[in-house]
Amino acid sequence: MENHISIELEAMLKKAQPLFTTKSCCIYKVPQKIRQLNEEAYTPTVVSIGPLHHGNSKLVTMEGHKQVYCQHFIERSEPSLTDLVSCIQQLEPQIRACYSEKIELTVEEFVKVIFIDCCFVIELFLKDDGMINDAISSKPWIGTRVIHDLLLLENQLPLFVFDKIYNLAFASGSLPSFISVAASYFSVFNKQGVLLPVASGIAHFTDLIRFFNLPPFHRRPSRKPELLILGHSASELVESGVKFIVNKSLSSHVCMLDLEFKNGSLRIPHIKVGDGSEIWLRNIVALEQCHYPQEHYILDYIIFLSQLMKTNNDAGVLIKARVIDCVFGGNYESKVSKLFGDVGKNTLVTSTNVDYLQLLHDLNAYYDHPWHSKMAILRRDYFSTPWMTAASITGIVLLILTVIQTCLEILGLIKVVDGAEIWLRNVVDLEQ
């Protein structure tokens, strides 16, 4: 006779599902170990997109606004509402498979959430692109928060859903591609002016922001299973003679990750740090931890800068060099060092950018060379200001003149002695 426990176990195991059901998974709940460091950096404050934060009572105010935008989108779309909804229904299994969490919504509920959110975002992007007056962009504080909410890892829809609905709605081709419209909306994060290919393989908006800040595929360095350990902070490197300089390119499109050490100068691309920086950096790092565990290029950059800026004085070195442009108020040095120190905490590192490993090797070797520190001390103590330089040069000139004068006096004394010896010899010869 079959045991009732085994019957219950069999039923339970039949319902069990793996952590990530398919390779399509690209939208994740941020791991708790990382999330607990700053819950607010991963949680939407104005608008929820997708199922993971749907129903949050703090975001209910925007739901009516989303529906208004959705209505506007339907009115401007070429196909009917039925055709648009049918598209989402056909994609429902694919969309659901993109989430790491089990979505506790029926098919009907899920389709409604995805459809309204998808239409809202497309309409928002088109209005922001200057095609129609936009109530959100007319309120800068709301517009900024919406942008931040749309780049959160937990607040995403897969990009292929937007593409399908957008291409169906504007099949006549009267508008630019959706990826172009999205890139325009998030242009503040595209410092390089990256041009997106048609088939870029970008999963969602968080992935898009990461893509903006990576070097082109042909320039992405290989990786080694080594840890990134810099032995000396920025202020210590300055003591050894290292100079910090903003890395600029002739094309003005410098990748944020392009660090270079040459002839005693560490060149780092300019980065602006403000209240929103922690949000996008944290969410990209969380994406790399979940989706790109072998290619965490942004995390490498964060770890490198955190090791450079171990103290407030270290952060001050990079701010003074204009490498970091800080828009924080108050004690901004401490805020900058804390930002880069905190973002990389509780992360797992499996490999490191080989360019950064070479960079660390060169910096450590430069610091360990005794000649560099002696020259740095000489420059600091005697040539740090124009007045000190003038005084030092004057002192050196006086020292040289004194040495020359002493040498001449010695040579003159030698001539006197030689003359006396000749005179005495002649006197002695005469007496004999």
Side-chain angles (χ1 to χ4, degrees), residues 161-416:
V161 182
F162 293 111
D163 261 332
K164 288 281 187 181
I165 292 293
Y166 185 88
N167 292 335
L168 177 61
F170 309 115
S172 62
S174 58
L175 297 179
S177 67
F178 176 74
I179 193 66
S180 298
V181 175
S184 175
Y185 183 79
F186 290 110
S187 60
V188 67
F189 300 100
N190 189 7
K191 303 299 184 185
Q192 300 183 72
V194 173
L195 298 176
L196 293 168
V198 176
S200 56
I202 294 169
H204 42 66
F205 298 145
T206 314
D207 200 20
L208 176 64
I209 306 305
R210 177 178 181 269
F211 184 85
F212 283 155
N213 289 284
L214 291 178
F217 284 106
H218 67 277
R219 287 205 292 112
R220 292 184 194 172
S222 57
R223 307 183 66 81
K224 283 187 178 181
E226 296 182 28
L227 294 178
L228 199 62
I229 301 175
L230 177 62
H232 312 286
S233 67
S235 54
E236 291 173 330
L237 290 171
V238 167
E239 291 294 321
S240 71
V242 173
K243 295 180 181 178
F244 289 86
I245 301 175
V246 176
N247 193 7
K248 296 180 180 178
S249 170
L250 294 176
S251 64
S252 76
H253 298 322
V254 182
C255 175
M256 180 179 76
L257 312 184
D258 287 341
L259 279 63
E260 179 186 17
F261 181 64
K262 189 176 182 181
N263 299 327
S265 295
L266 179 57
R267 299 178 182 273
I268 306 175
H270 174 267
I271 179 172
K272 183 176 287 188
V273 175
D275 292 327
S277 302
E278 184 169 1
I279 294 174
W280 69 269
L281 287 173
R282 277 192 177 278
N283 280 272
I284 292 177
V285 167
L287 172 64
E288 289 190 332
Q289 287 288 283
C290 297
H291 200 63
Y292 300 105
Q294 305 299 325
E295 299 177 338
H296 43 74
Y297 290 102
I298 305 298
L299 178 57
D300 288 345
Y301 171 81
I302 295 296
I303 291 174
F304 179 83
L305 286 190
S306 69
Q307 293 188 19
L308 270 182
M309 295 185 287
K310 295 176 182 176
T311 68
N312 297 349
N313 289 338
D314 297 323
V317 169
L318 270 65
I319 293 170
K320 185 178 179 181
R322 305 306 298 272
V323 169
I324 295 178
D325 187 5
C326 182
V327 294
F328 284 126
N331 188 4
Y332 49 85
E333 289 95 345
S334 64
K335 290 181 179 178
V336 169
S337 61
K338 186 177 187 302
L339 167 64
F340 286 96
D342 286 353
V343 170
K345 284 182 179 177
N346 293 350
T347 54
L348 178 65
V349 175
T350 57
S351 61
T352 301
N353 177 338
V354 293
D355 287 354
Y356 283 12
L357 290 174
Q358 184 61 49
L359 191 67
L360 297 185
H361 176 270
D362 293 344
L363 282 170
N364 289 332
Y366 191 93
Y367 181 89
D368 293 336
H369 197 293
W371 175 252
H372 295 145
S373 60
K374 288 183 174 62
M375 289 300 296
I377 292 171
L378 182 65
R379 284 194 296 268
R380 182 195 65 199
D381 292 347
Y382 298 100
F383 299 96
S384 58
T385 67
W387 290 108
M388 289 185 69
T389 301
S392 298
I393 292 174
T394 301
I396 292 170
V397 171
L398 288 174
L399 178 62
I400 293 171
L401 291 175
T402 301
V403 170
I404 292 172
Q405 182 180 7
T406 303
C407 291
L408 290 174
E409 289 177 352
I410 292 172
L411 289 173
L413 182 61
I414 291 173
K415 288 180 180 179
V416 170

Side-chain angles (χ1 to χ4, degrees), residues 9-60:
L9 275 171
E10 185 178 7
M12 180 180 69
L13 293 174
K14 283 181 179 179
K15 295 179 182 178
Q17 292 188 6
L19 183 61
F20 305 132
T21 54
T22 68
K23 292 181 179 179
S24 303
C25 181
C26 61
I27 302 170
Y28 306 84
K29 285 285 284 185
V30 176
Q32 184 57 29
K33 197 75 174 173
I34 297 175
R35 205 178 201 284
Q36 67 185 7
L37 296 171
N38 186 349
E39 293 271 350
E40 294 181 357
Y42 308 103
T43 308
T45 59
V46 174
V47 60
S48 71
I49 300 296
L52 295 183
H53 287 277
H54 178 72
N56 185 332
S57 60
K58 296 179 180 178
L59 308 175
V60 70

